[in-house]
Amino acid sequence: MKEIAIIAFDDFTDIDLFLMWDILGRNQQDWRVRILGVTPTIRSTHGLTITVNGAVKDANTADAVLFSSGKIGVPNILTNPNFLPELHLDPKHQYIGSICAGAFILDELGLLPERKATTHQDAREGLISRKITPIDQPLVCHGKIATAGGCLSSVYLVGWLIESLFGKQKRKETLYHVLPAGQQLEFEDLIQSTLNQSEMS
């Protein structure tokens, strides 16, 4: 049983968190997914309040860690003294990914040594200001680190994680159930192509 942590915070982007949570939550045999935060409850950009499943420090022992996003939430959480000091992640033993502005958190943790990443199009200038080259792709991977850009790229990020941990067939089985009816083959081709093109040289 693998442990997957999704880290979120106040003013998180609703779809980024809930899409990853929903897809991963459909399988309870191969992994356990938990939402972690610095407070017992967190509030989304659109006002939904949820109770988290554990503290941020729990991510340090997880097999995989995914960071949610938030135009307001990310800058705010990076100034929270109870956030970054609690995280001691190890890309040698953990798969670590982010969606959209979550890439800034990876950078603060020193997890973007290649200085290349993708993010939401509105956050590209933020990457450039950090001297990170923005890659115009929905998913960019280097070893066990991945960044995804654009809310719907959560599908690719989760797909990358599942395939990395359990192989292509498990990834296909998991994502199949959320694909549009009658378009599963077309979407599978797109997902496979995106994953093939995501690895940085």
Side-chain angles (χ1 to χ4, degrees), residues 9 56 65 75 88 94 165 201:
F9 29 78
V56 167
V65 182
H88 304 283
Q94 296 173 296
L165 289 172
S201 58

Side-chain angles (χ1 to χ4, degrees), residues 57-116:
K57 65 181 181 181
D58 294 348
N60 298 326
T61 57
D63 297 287
V65 182
L66 301 176
F67 288 93
S68 188
S69 185
K71 184 177 182 179
I72 298 173
V74 168
N76 286 347
I77 198 63
L78 287 177
T79 65
N80 187 318
N82 298 315
F83 184 61
L84 290 176
E86 293 290 305
L87 291 168
H88 304 283
L89 306 183
D90 184 356
K92 292 181 180 179
H93 301 102
Q94 296 173 296
Y95 287 93
I96 305 168
S98 67
I99 182 73
C100 295
F104 301 149
I105 301 174
L106 297 191
D107 184 42
E108 289 291 332
L109 291 170
L111 295 173
L112 296 177
E114 299 299 315
R115 314 309 296 158
K116 296 178 182 179

Side-chain angles (χ1 to χ4, degrees), residues 14 26 34 62 66 76 86 88 103 117 124 148-149 170-171:
D14 297 63
R26 291 166 183 251
R34 303 170 71 214
L66 301 176
N76 286 347
E86 293 290 305
H88 304 283
R124 286 171 59 88
K170 181 66 67 176
R171 186 267 299 164

Side-chain angles (χ1 to χ4, degrees), residues 25-166:
R26 291 166 183 251
N27 182 321
Q28 298 180 16
Q29 291 74 48
D30 299 303
W31 57 77
R32 179 177 72 150
V33 58
R34 303 170 71 214
I35 298 174
L36 308 180
V38 297
T39 54
T41 61
I42 53 177
R43 187 173 183 272
S44 78
T45 297
H46 294 311
L48 289 176
T49 298
I50 64 170
T51 300
V52 303
N53 308 122
V56 167
K57 65 181 181 181
D58 294 348
N60 298 326
T61 57
D63 297 287
V65 182
L66 301 176
F67 288 93
S68 188
S69 185
K71 184 177 182 179
I72 298 173
V74 168
N76 286 347
I77 198 63
L78 287 177
T79 65
N80 187 318
N82 298 315
F83 184 61
L84 290 176
E86 293 290 305
L87 291 168
H88 304 283
L89 306 183
D90 184 356
K92 292 181 180 179
H93 301 102
Q94 296 173 296
Y95 287 93
I96 305 168
S98 67
I99 182 73
C100 295
F104 301 149
I105 301 174
L106 297 191
D107 184 42
E108 289 291 332
L109 291 170
L111 295 173
L112 296 177
E114 299 299 315
R115 314 309 296 158
K116 296 178 182 179
T118 187
T119 189
H120 189 279
Q121 58 184 2
D122 292 342
R124 286 171 59 88
E125 291 302 318
L127 287 183
I128 294 171
S129 70
R130 291 169 171 264
K131 301 190 185 316
I132 299 170
T133 301
I135 306 298
D136 191 23
Q137 293 179 189
L139 185 68
V140 172
C141 306
H142 184 78
K144 291 187 174 183
I145 303 293
T147 56
C151 297
L152 296 184
S153 290
S154 293
V155 173
Y156 303 130
L157 182 62
V158 170
W160 162 80
L161 178 59
I162 296 171
E163 186 164 323
S164 297
L165 289 172
F166 293 97

